[in-house]
Amino acid sequence: MTKYNTLLYYCYSTIADAEQFATDHLKFCKSLNLVGRIIVAEEGLNGTVSGTAESCNTYMDTLHADPRFARVDFKVDEVGEPSFVKMHVRYKSEIVHSGLRDPHIINPEKKTGKHLDPKDFMAMKDRDDVVILDVRSNYEHSLGKFKNAVTLDIENFRDFPAKINELAQLKDKKILTYCTGGIKCEKASALLLHEGFTDVYQLHGGIIKYGKEAGGQDFEGKCYVFDNRLSVDVNQVNPVVISTCYNCGKITDKMINCANPECNEHFTQCDECGTAMDGCCSDDCKAHPRKRVYDGTGYYVKVPQPVNVKKAKVQLAD
């Protein structure tokens, strides 16, 4: 039986001619029959790829052999089938969109919060002088989060900078930031330091690594992931379900995307409502003429877009 792996990783490291690198890297990934999604920017790489164990090992070995990516910390999951359908490598201005491009404010290669390995994070998280800060979006922390974590009302990570003022009263605390794999914390912790927070930490490797190395203790619910699994289990010690169905309020940990592609909302929905609503969040979406066929998973393959083609100027404002 063929064994498959899914790799989650990121690396902040300067890439000269990142657009050309993205084009070449797509060819390399396809040569290994990998599927997944990788973002390339001048500041580094952010990716999730999936394929046979052999292909994934070759991919990891190749990146580690490149001095720019020698320190990449791959999070490896064994999966029953590849976690994507296609392979995309895209050039963007940032590998995680913060809207802050001034290197004097945000430069993860030079200054971030202190990295904590999962066991050290677990040892610190319940102290009275500590605040655990979730830097992910609403739909992510509604599905699962650390017990007693502070969450922010943000739709996307680019909304995080505007929320810093809401945390001002916590400046005398040790701030422990966390996210899925660690990439958002690199910029979030750097911004907190810039804004006058003095004792800032980040969970190295994020929730995924914490689950693997610390058993996921006190992470409540599931962790949202950006592939066709949509969510993964983390807590092997004291698991609970904290999310509820968007439509009926019943306890459920099933995360889907709305079947209406013009909505595409991430939300939790029980199987009963999934059937009744045909995978949609509302009656309006259910009646939408472009509604996709709901197969019970709530995952939809994105419509292919041209690779590495710059957006028109009118779109860059977003």
Side-chain angles (χ1 to χ4, degrees):
M1 182 177 179
T2 303
K3 293 183 178 180
Y4 297 98
N5 287 339
T6 294
L7 313 177
L8 173 67
Y9 73 96
Y10 71 89
C11 182
Y12 284 98
S13 181
T14 303
I15 302 176
D17 197 2
E19 286 192 75
Q20 184 60 50
F21 178 91
T23 299
D24 295 340
H25 201 65
L26 176 62
K27 294 177 182 177
F28 169 60
C29 291
K30 285 186 173 182
S31 74
L32 296 176
N33 293 316
L34 293 174
V35 290
R37 185 182 302 120
I38 300 172
I39 298 172
V40 179
E42 278 76 11
E43 65 180 6
L45 296 175
N46 175 17
T48 307
V49 297
S50 193
T52 63
E54 181 181 6
S55 291
C56 287
N57 286 333
T58 300
Y59 183 82
M60 290 188 286
D61 290 343
T62 302
L63 256 65
H64 281 153
D66 187 322
R68 294 171 295 181
F69 315 124
R71 56 189 173 86
V72 171
D73 181 17
F74 287 98
K75 275 72 73 177
V76 183
D77 274 344
E78 293 184 359
V79 293
E81 59 184 22
S83 300
F84 294 86
V85 176
K86 298 181 179 180
M87 186 70 233
H88 298 283
V89 180
R90 293 197 171 92
Y91 167 78
K92 294 189 177 182
S93 59
E94 297 179 89
I95 55 175
V96 58
H97 184 33
S98 67
L100 297 172
R101 301 178 192 174
D102 184 343
H104 299 292
I105 297 177
I106 298 286
N107 189 340
E109 288 192 74
K110 293 185 177 181
K111 188 176 183 180
T112 65
K114 295 180 279 288
H115 287 67
L116 292 174
D117 67 36
K119 291 183 179 179
D120 288 337
F121 181 93
M122 182 168 63
M124 282 186 66
K125 66 182 180 60
D126 295 324
R127 287 170 42 173
D128 291 339
D129 60 342
V130 163
V131 171
I132 306 172
L133 177 62
D134 192 317
V135 303
R136 300 171 303 152
S137 304
N138 290 336
Y139 64 89
E140 296 174 86
H141 59 65
S142 68
L143 180 66
K145 63 183 181 65
F146 276 102
K147 182 180 179 181
N148 299 323
V150 172
T151 58
L152 300 173
D153 182 14
I154 57 178
E155 295 299 321
N156 295 283
F157 184 64
R158 62 175 175 266
D159 300 327
F160 178 80
K163 294 291 183 177
I164 293 289
N165 289 339
E166 295 181 9
L167 305 171
Q169 74 278 11
L170 303 176
K171 285 191 175 181
D172 63 338
K173 300 282 189 177
K174 291 179 171 62
I175 308 296
L176 273 58
T177 65
Y178 74 89
C179 60
T180 306
I183 186 171
K184 293 177 180 177
C185 289
E186 301 282 6
K187 291 191 173 184
S189 65
L191 183 58
L192 288 167
L193 290 168
H194 178 77
E195 293 294 331
F197 292 79
T198 58
D199 214 355
V200 182
Y201 302 78
Q202 62 192 76
L203 175 56
H204 178 61
I207 300 163
I208 301 300
K209 193 176 182 73
Y210 182 83
K212 293 180 180 300
E213 297 186 6
Q217 182 173 330
D218 292 333
F219 185 84
E220 300 180 329
K222 288 191 173 185
C223 181
Y224 183 89
V225 291
F226 298 86
D227 57 60
N228 64 7
R229 296 172 295 171
L230 293 180
S231 67
V232 295
D233 291 319
V234 173
N235 193 331
Q236 305 162 42
V237 180
N238 54 348
V240 296
V241 178
I242 64 170
S243 50
T244 59
C245 177
Y246 176 83
N247 300 104
C248 73
K250 176 182 175 181
I251 294 291
T252 182
D253 59 7
K254 184 176 182 179
M255 172 71 76
I256 74 168
N257 285 77
C258 182
N260 174 8
E262 294 187 12
C263 172
N264 207 44
E265 183 75 24
H266 307 276
F267 67 104
T268 45
Q269 186 178 63
C270 68
D271 286 330
E272 290 82 358
C273 288
T275 299
M277 298 297 297
D278 210 15
C280 294
C281 64
S282 67
D283 289 331
D284 286 344
C285 285
K286 185 178 179 181
H288 197 279
R290 291 188 59 209
K291 189 189 76 64
R292 297 170 290 200
V293 176
Y294 177 63
D295 65 0
T297 66
Y299 175 81
Y300 306 95
V301 179
K302 289 187 175 182
V303 177
Q305 300 293 327
V307 176
N308 303 329
V309 175
K310 290 184 178 180
K311 295 181 178 179
K313 290 183 178 180
V314 69
Q315 295 176 301
L316 291 177
D318 188 37

